[in-house]
Amino acid sequence: MNIAALLAKAALSFPERPAIASGVEPWSDYANFHHASGAIAHALKGRYGLKSGERVAIAMSNRPEFLECLFAIWYAGLVAVPVNAKLHPSELAYIFENSGSRACFTSPELAPAIEELSADVTLLEFVISADSDTYRALKSGDTMAYAERAPEDPAWLFYTSGTTGRPKGATLSHRNLLVMTLSYFADMDPISSHDSVMHAAPLSHGSGLYALPHIAKAANNIIPESGGFDAAEVLGLIPHYSGVTLFGAPTMIVRMMNSPAMADADTTNLKLLYYGGAPMYVADVEQALRIFGSKLEQIYGQGEAPMNISYLSREFYADRAHPRYAERIASAGIARTDLEFRVVDENDKALPTGEAGEVVVRGDIVMIGYWQDPEATAAALRGGWLHTGDVGSVDEDGFLTLMDRSKDMIISGGTNIYPREIEEVLLRHDEVREASVVGRPHPEWGEEVVAFVVRREGANVAAEALDALCLDNIARFKRPKQYFFETSLPKNNYGKVMKRDLRDRLAAESDGTD
Ligand code: AMP
């Protein structure tokens, strides 16, 4: 089944339900959304001459047209390549080239840069800005029914955030997206046409995935007018809608909680607050539980296995009396219904309960492979399991606890040290706002532990106090040997700390002193 059928069916049964809103204003109902997608699809095939299976990029900030373009691409039997609008032009060019995109939908602020890029990208011929007369004309032309697609045909090239190298296009099939949608209803939450989802995180990434189960059930997609994440705007929009689901990276949730707007925010209409995409430290989870209580859920996933591999549902957050409650809320939860995960050693041998190793996943949400990269595909999917590159362990009840990306693990004196454990301790200090721990090459130990810390405003906590905190809580050899106090940490466009940049900085500094 073409995943576009989700929209066509919703439009058939719920034509007048609000489908897309811009801030507090209704923007499109389901009948219009369906019609616009069919019309743009018709133009992509006819006027632009695109052939089934060709790739079309979407490089735009969050705006209502994003969803029309996404579905138009699928109606036409083409493959969508949503890219983060905040990427550097050279990164955008790389993704356009790598995906072989022939057309690109964009937003007015990016259109000139993308027009310029298109001259150097081999196959990119058409750049269509969402606020242009051309776009409006496409929407009002003849329409088409969605094309036939086989379940294993590619639907979405989901480019990884590239924290460890060049982004790779995780190729998601129509089946992958359908199974992801179905298991949302099975494990995460039921949805009705009176519910809504707020897209405050990039639609090109996690939030776009959340659109699918909501469109399948004719719920409303709210796009904040800023096109990005603004804590006060998001909090202000919640009371205007019913049954609101919101997904955010941990940094977004933390910013929301620390925003002055939180004090008198009315979150009654918030149904669910998902966080995921990066670790959230226990101190922050506890604050979120105090503020949002029973509405908090966590997901752990990656572009290669969307939208999630495991989840920690409201049920577990609420079960405070459980003897392993503290471990559970620090974990990434249990496996979804449709998949299996396990933890393996470097020879792919399954490890016993509680032992740390690489998390591998098997099931119908696992990507077909990396776009035109057989070598990386074979490495990632060896033995029929997706190798996530994440280090974790599974307890006797099936809860997965993530330590770190395997590339972020520190090996000191032959012992594995997981930075997250140390970061968790540092964040317990009232005056620490952010902390990131990395390994620095050391002639004797291989690597030594170093911490980068951002203090809260007006705070002046020193290395000695943090060292004492570590001595009280973790083994001596895990203590950071040096602290760097920073005003901010380098983050990528998804709010993930770029540990590679921190390591590069340390390398440059030690080169300078040699
Ligand atoms: P991406 O494919 O860009 O979404 O990145 C996925 C990666 O983000 C995963 O492989 C994990 O390393 C990390 N990640 C996602 N969700 C979580 C979570 N709930 N807790 C910790 N790390 C996470």
Side-chain angles (χ1 to χ4, degrees), residues 326-389:
E327 290 89 333
R328 285 186 169 188
I329 65 161
S331 83
I334 60 173
R336 276 178 18 173
T337 306
D338 56 296
L339 58 78
E340 303 161 89
F341 59 58
R342 63 189 200 194
V343 166
V344 298
D345 66 12
E346 58 279 10
N347 301 314
D348 279 345
K349 212 166 114 299
L351 286 168
T353 304
E355 272 188 41
E358 185 173 9
V359 180
V360 298
V361 183
R362 186 163 71 174
D364 275 349
I365 53 150
V366 171
M367 65 167 182
I368 354 182
Y370 290 116
W371 184 253
Q372 294 198 326
D373 194 340
E375 233 167 80
T377 302
L381 298 181
R382 62 184 190 272
W385 292 81
L386 167 70
H387 290 66
T388 61

Side-chain angles (χ1 to χ4, degrees), residues 27 36 78 91 148 209 225-226 248 266 298 302 314 317 323 350 374 398 404 425 461-462 481 497:
W27 195 83
L78 301 162
E91 296 171 301
E148 283 290 313
L209 301 172
E225 274 181 303
S226 66
D266 175 5
Q298 184 197 174
Q302 54 177 208
R314 289 163 279 189
Y317 284 113
D404 278 285
V425 171
V461 59
K481 302 298 172 293
V497 175

Side-chain angles (χ1 to χ4, degrees), residues 183-243:
S183 62
Y184 187 93
F185 306 132
D187 295 324
M188 317 294 291
D189 193 39
I191 300 173
S192 90
S193 72
H194 296 277
D195 291 329
S196 37
V197 56
M198 185 150 11
H199 297 293
L203 276 164
S204 57
H205 215 70
S207 217
L209 301 172
Y210 280 87
L212 296 187
H214 286 88
I215 289 169
K217 295 291 174 192
N220 201 358
N221 288 270
I222 310 154
I223 322 278
E225 274 181 303
S226 66
F229 176 72
D230 178 289
E233 182 185 25
V234 166
L235 290 167
L237 280 172
I238 293 173
H240 291 272
Y241 294 98
S242 53

Side-chain angles (χ1 to χ4, degrees), residues 31-227:
N32 280 322
F33 182 11
H34 166 65
H35 181 87
S37 301
I40 300 167
H42 187 265
L44 287 173
K45 300 233 54 176
R47 174 168 169 181
Y48 295 105
L50 300 189
K51 309 263 175 318
S52 292
E54 287 193 311
R55 275 77 55 213
V56 177
I58 310 177
M60 59 170 84
S61 48
N62 281 8
R63 49 185 293 143
E65 293 89 349
F66 188 107
L67 293 172
E68 284 180 344
C69 296
L70 183 64
F71 275 83
I73 293 167
W74 290 334
Y75 272 54
L78 301 162
V79 183
V81 187
V83 289
N84 190 312
K86 289 197 198 129
L87 292 183
H88 185 272
S90 66
E91 296 171 301
L92 290 175
Y94 175 81
I95 293 176
F96 296 153
E97 190 69 54
N98 185 262
S99 60
S101 290
R102 285 206 54 207
C104 175
F105 289 108
T106 185
S107 37
E109 76 284 2
L110 284 171
I114 293 184
E115 287 279 4
E116 209 176 302
L117 281 181
S118 69
D120 297 325
V121 178
T122 318
L123 296 176
L124 187 57
E125 269 183 80
F126 313 110
V127 177
I128 307 160
S129 177
D131 75 331
S132 62
D133 291 340
T134 311
Y135 185 81
R136 277 185 286 278
L138 300 187
K139 272 174 72 165
S140 55
D142 288 342
T143 178
M144 65 177 273
Y146 62 84
E148 283 290 313
R149 292 274 80 190
E152 59 280 6
D153 283 336
W156 181 323
L157 301 192
F158 196 106
Y159 276 83
T160 56
S161 48
T163 48
T164 49
R166 283 286 204 189
K168 294 192 283 290
T171 305
L172 304 176
S173 66
H174 290 267
R175 177 187 281 130
N176 290 150
L177 297 178
L178 182 61
V179 173
M180 176 196 87
T181 303
L182 291 175
S183 62
Y184 187 93
F185 306 132
D187 295 324
M188 317 294 291
D189 193 39
I191 300 173
S192 90
S193 72
H194 296 277
D195 291 329
S196 37
V197 56
M198 185 150 11
H199 297 293
L203 276 164
S204 57
H205 215 70
S207 217
L209 301 172
Y210 280 87
L212 296 187
H214 286 88
I215 289 169
K217 295 291 174 192
N220 201 358
N221 288 270
I222 310 154
I223 322 278
E225 274 181 303
S226 66

